Amino acid sequence: MDGAELGTMGMLLALLVAALLAPLLGDRLARWVIVPSVVLEIGFGIVLGPSALGIVRENETITLLADLGLALLMFMAGYEIDFRRIKGRPLNRALLAWACSVALGLAIGWALLGTSQAALIVGLALTTTALGTVLPILRDSGALGGAFGTRFLASGSVGEFGPIVLIALLLSGYRPWQGTLLLAAFFALAGACAWAATRPRSERWARLIRATLGSSTQVAVRLCMVVIVALAWLASVMQLDALLGSFAAGVVIRLMISINHGEEAEQVEAKMDAIGFGFLIPVFFVVTGVRFDLASLLAQPLLLLLLPVLLAAFLLVRGGPEYVFSRGDVPDAQRPALVLFSATALPLLTVLTTIGTRDGSLDSAHAAAIVGAGMLSVLILPQAGGALLRRATGAGPAAPANRRREVDEEEDY
């Protein structure tokens, strides 16, 4: 049976079952090893996709849902940024570290591939941080507080947002000066939205948001979705990457909710978490697995050697500068953990490889190797970083969120 026989609803059902099974399997495996749900979701996608069973094949509906999932992932990453917390030294040092990462990444890309589009894609891939992927792991483990959490938020924000900006500038098809003007225009419009979001609230608007949080109307959630799609659409119309708009939407909504609707902020965030991490974001990761061209990668066994090489390059290019520039921001014992978390990459790798395969600068096998290295980074680096961080802080092993909840309930009983 293939995707055509299963139909769109059948394929969607398969995606949702995979998304459900991933945390259940992760909970079982937690007795021996902690595997992030995102890795299992991608693994299930590979099994369901053309590389294995062929049950799921992309069509317009599946692609749309996956794109919405990626948009929600970028939105949640933007929403997590608290500029009041990271401004000043943490943000400045994170920007310096990322600038060094860009220089190193592009130098490696150009040295290996010459001055080509492929070199640009590989170089930018080495500068990314999977903020949206790592944040739930850190949040569930309680590691977002204190100096370490502040420094990682600054590092991850720059490592997520910076590459999106360079993608818009260098890979949009515009000449650099045209891309710069359009990017400036987009930032001006997004800034206007942010300014409007911080204006004193209308009492009627505030009452509607407060009164509908528990009803079928859900004005706050609908507003969030309108802002996400509007800014993503605006970025697309300007031929900039739509992820830029999704990320900006997260920042705008965070400002609006925290300044004008502080008492409802926790409820709104919980509802957006439910939509994102409960539905659309897992669909995106499962579809990432469906898109993964395992057959092309296995057809060229030498390319498998690229996976550990690229993983080492992530650590060198993205993690190395973070280690250097985090001195004085976090205790020395925690700096290696910051390196590992900062070098974790995945969502933007799928964006970059999609651009590369679409314009012909990357073949599907090399694109699969880059995404595969990102999958390895998500599987290995956060777990190693978490272990180092627990050792540095003297904390015990972190249990999965549902395990912690069971223990708490038993203690309450």
Side-chain angles (χ1 to χ4, degrees), residues 14-58:
L15 294 175
L16 294 176
V17 169
L20 174 62
L21 291 177
L24 297 178
L25 178 58
D27 185 64
R28 290 288 185 182
L29 294 175
R31 301 175 185 178
W32 303 281
V33 61
I34 296 176
V35 182
S37 183
V38 59
V39 174
L40 296 173
E41 288 159 10
I42 294 173
F44 278 125
I46 293 173
V47 172
L48 292 174
S51 296
L53 299 179
I55 293 174
V56 176
R57 298 182 183 274
E58 271 200 86

Side-chain angles (χ1 to χ4, degrees), residues 32-391:
W32 303 281
V33 61
I34 296 176
V35 182
S37 183
V38 59
V39 174
L40 296 173
E41 288 159 10
I42 294 173
F44 278 125
I46 293 173
V47 172
L48 292 174
S51 296
L53 299 179
I55 293 174
V56 176
R57 298 182 183 274
E58 271 200 86
N59 59 24
E60 289 184 2
T61 303
I62 300 298
T63 300
L64 175 61
L65 288 173
D67 288 347
L68 283 173
L70 181 55
L72 261 293
L73 185 66
M74 292 298 105
F75 168 82
M76 296 307 299
Y79 186 87
E80 289 283 355
I81 299 175
D82 185 350
F83 286 102
R84 291 173 296 183
R85 182 178 176 187
I86 68 174
K87 69 179 181 180
R89 179 183 171 90
L91 184 57
N92 293 338
R93 303 280 281 184
L95 285 167
L96 282 173
W98 184 72
C100 291
S101 294
V102 173
L104 281 171
L106 293 180
I108 290 174
W110 288 333
L112 294 177
L113 302 168
T115 53
S116 64
Q117 184 92 331
L120 201 56
I121 289 171
V122 171
L124 290 180
L126 298 177
T127 71
T128 67
T129 296
L131 177 66
T133 305
V134 174
L135 273 180
I137 299 172
L138 286 176
R139 186 168 54 188
D140 289 345
S141 66
L144 271 183
F148 182 87
T150 299
R151 186 62 178 80
F152 176 74
L153 280 174
S155 170
S157 300
V158 174
E160 188 97 80
F161 186 67
I164 294 175
V165 172
L166 288 187
I167 289 170
L169 280 175
L170 303 178
L171 299 176
S172 63
Y174 289 116
R175 294 176 181 175
W177 66 269
Q178 291 175 316
T180 302
L181 288 176
L182 282 170
L183 198 60
F186 175 82
F187 283 146
L189 291 170
C193 292
W195 174 82
T198 59
R199 302 303 297 161
R201 64 184 183 181
S202 159
E203 187 54 41
R204 182 174 177 228
W205 189 249
R207 180 184 57 78
L208 268 176
I209 287 179
R210 186 167 52 250
T212 59
L213 277 173
S215 74
S216 60
T217 311
Q218 298 290 339
V219 170
V221 175
R222 296 184 189 191
L223 174 63
C224 290
M225 296 306 299
V226 166
V227 174
I228 294 169
V229 175
L231 286 178
W233 170 78
L234 178 63
S236 298
V237 166
M238 300 173 76
Q239 295 186 31
L240 304 171
D241 199 287
L243 298 187
L244 187 64
S246 304
F247 195 92
V251 175
V252 169
I253 292 295
R254 170 68 180 242
L255 288 171
M256 183 192 73
I257 294 294
S258 62
I259 292 175
N260 289 324
H261 306 279
E263 62 276 14
E264 293 90 21
E266 188 174 334
Q267 294 182 65
V268 174
E269 183 176 356
K271 291 176 183 296
M272 293 306 297
D273 271 349
I275 295 173
F277 293 107
F279 175 35
L280 290 168
I281 293 174
V283 167
F284 160 71
F285 282 117
V286 178
V287 173
T288 296
V290 171
R291 293 168 175 166
F292 189 77
D293 195 348
L294 183 62
S296 295
L297 187 59
L298 294 178
Q300 303 181 51
L302 286 178
L303 282 182
L304 292 174
L305 298 177
L306 266 182
L307 272 65
V309 171
L310 285 169
L311 184 61
F314 292 148
L315 288 167
L316 171 66
V317 173
R318 188 70 191 101
E322 284 296 334
Y323 185 82
V324 172
F325 286 97
S326 62
R327 184 185 298 274
D329 292 342
V330 296
D332 286 347
Q334 296 180 8
R335 288 164 67 202
L338 180 66
V339 167
L340 295 174
F341 284 120
S342 299
T344 303
L346 185 58
L348 288 180
L349 300 186
T350 66
V351 175
L352 286 162
T353 53
T354 298
I355 293 172
T357 52
R358 189 174 59 219
D359 65 21
S361 58
L362 283 180
D363 60 34
S364 58
H366 285 85
I370 293 172
V371 174
M375 291 166 58
L376 274 182
S377 77
V378 173
L379 176 63
I380 297 171
L381 301 187
Q383 317 317 312
L388 290 176
L389 191 59
R390 290 191 294 273
R391 183 183 303 172

Side-chain angles (χ1 to χ4, degrees), residues 399-413:
N402 53 345
R403 291 285 187 191
R404 290 199 305 273
R405 192 176 301 113
E406 290 170 5
V407 169
D408 291 342
E409 289 172 354
E410 289 173 4
E411 289 177 350
D412 290 341
Y413 177 78

